[in-house]
Amino acid sequence: MRTSTVRRAGAVAAVAALMTVVAACGGQGGGSGTETEPATKAAGASHVAALQQVGKKTGTAQSARIEGTSTMGGTVSMKQTGTIGWADGLSGSLTVTYTGGTMAEALRQGGGDGSVRARYLKDEYYADMGEAFAKTVGGKRWVRYAYEDVAKLGGGAGDVLREQVRNSTPEQGVKALLAAGDVRKVGQEDVRGVSTTRYSGTVDVAELTPRDSALDDRQLAAFKEQLTAAGITTQTVDIWVDKDDLLVKKAERGESGIGAFDSTVFYSDYGTEVPVEKPSAADTVDFLDVLKRQPGIRPS
């Protein structure tokens, strides 16, 4: 394979990897085995009410600083830091460092150092692929990925992924617990010096029903569709919440279409400014244009 083709392949690989980052930040694993509070009917109702308040407070906070790690099978292992906002769709600036998996290898073969700067906007995101990649596309470092284009390339699953990215917020992890129907209060734990209350639950996609879920029919159907499109059958979700009913930490693990996944994200500085600007057009190439340079690929 020619070097230029390998480098462009790194940009193609970044699609799935950077999409995975957002899913991990927003909510798509788990427990330490601590004894949990019995899941009686009264306790369950109390937990649901508490989580609904957490979802409301976290949803209206509109922005936060994040730091996290994620793995998905042998495809990707990464860590991410930065800020995200969700006042009107998803926005954010993240630095993503790929520490293992085929994604990291693709980026290294493309001449990168394993780190990618990403900027997320309402309908698109941008990835800085570095100087080595820029030399193969007329000196342009940034690749633009329109969610509509990604959706078309991915078919039905692409449509779901597009909507998942657009609507990805920290409160999605709360929705997963509300959908589970077996929410348990683990107890009080310190997370990075912050006193928190921890809740845990397991989502079995085949068993999700409106009768057991605290989500309405529309929300539950959308949630099931997202999980099914990702090939997820079960997942364990744990969240840690502070005294202000804001998410401090979220951990998820389970099985997906590309293997086992494990994600942990820490949240802080709610309400922080999220300055996101599009890279200069003179320094940007469209993802579809990159694909057209790949032998045998003809995007529609």
Side-chain angles (χ1 to χ4, degrees):
M1 181 181 290
R2 294 175 302 158
T3 301
S4 60
T5 301
V6 171
R7 288 170 177 163
R8 287 193 289 270
V12 176
V15 176
L18 290 172
M19 291 290 220
T20 301
V21 171
V22 179
C25 297
Q28 230 341 55
S32 65
T34 306
E35 184 177 354
T36 61
E37 175 182 305
T40 63
K41 185 174 182 180
S46 174
H47 302 342
V48 166
L51 288 173
Q52 288 174 332
Q53 177 66 7
V54 172
K56 180 179 179 180
K57 289 290 292 292
T58 301
T60 57
Q62 298 190 345
S63 66
R65 188 172 301 280
I66 68 164
E67 179 182 341
T69 58
S70 303
T71 60
M72 293 197 81
T75 303
V76 62
S77 175
M78 63 191 174
K79 58 183 179 180
Q80 60 270 7
T81 59
T83 56
I84 58 172
W86 52 93
D88 181 22
L90 178 75
S91 63
S93 294
L94 300 177
T95 297
V96 185
T97 302
Y98 299 95
T99 55
T102 55
M103 295 293 184
E105 182 61 26
L107 291 172
R108 282 195 295 270
Q109 288 183 5
D113 62 1
S115 291
V116 175
R117 289 187 298 156
R119 297 181 186 177
Y120 296 89
L121 291 92
K122 183 176 181 180
D123 297 311
E124 60 197 357
Y125 73 86
Y126 296 81
D128 181 354
M129 300 301 297
E131 288 294 338
F133 170 81
K135 291 177 181 178
T136 71
V137 289
K140 299 179 179 182
R141 295 178 58 106
W142 291 86
V143 180
R144 172 185 176 270
Y145 302 89
Y147 297 143
E148 290 292 342
D149 294 337
V150 174
K152 291 176 182 177
L153 291 170
D159 288 333
V160 173
L161 182 57
R162 174 191 58 194
E163 295 308 311
Q164 181 181 1
V165 172
R166 280 176 168 172
N167 298 303
S168 185
T169 72
E171 65 180 311
Q172 294 300 315
V174 181
K175 287 183 179 179
L177 283 181
L178 290 172
D182 71 338
V183 178
R184 301 176 300 280
K185 183 178 179 181
V186 178
Q188 300 298 122
E189 297 181 9
D190 280 349
V191 176
R192 295 185 168 184
V194 177
S195 178
T196 69
T197 302
R198 177 178 167 188
Y199 296 91
S200 181
T202 299
V203 177
D204 185 333
V205 177
E207 298 297 326
L208 289 177
T209 64
R211 180 189 61 193
D212 298 323
S213 175
L215 301 180
D216 63 33
D217 290 353
R218 180 186 59 80
Q219 292 173 323
L220 185 62
F223 181 67
K224 288 179 68 173
E225 188 176 19
Q226 289 175 3
L227 295 182
T228 300
I232 295 173
T233 55
T234 61
Q235 68 171 5
T236 299
V237 182
D238 287 72
I239 66 169
W240 288 255
V241 181
D242 67 13
K243 62 180 178 61
D244 296 318
D245 295 323
L246 292 171
L247 224 60
V248 175
K249 177 184 176 182
K250 173 176 62 67
E252 297 168 307
R253 69 171 183 264
E255 293 289 336
S256 75
I258 60 173
F261 66 89
D262 197 323
S263 167
T264 300
V265 182
F266 296 89
Y267 303 91
S268 63
D269 298 328
Y270 280 94
T272 190
E273 185 178 359
V274 185
V276 181
E277 294 183 3
K278 293 183 180 181
S280 166
D283 198 22
T284 301
V285 61
D286 194 88
F287 172 57
L288 291 184
D289 291 336
V290 176
L291 276 187
K292 290 174 183 177
R293 298 168 185 256
Q294 294 286 356
I297 297 180
R298 294 292 182 268
S300 56

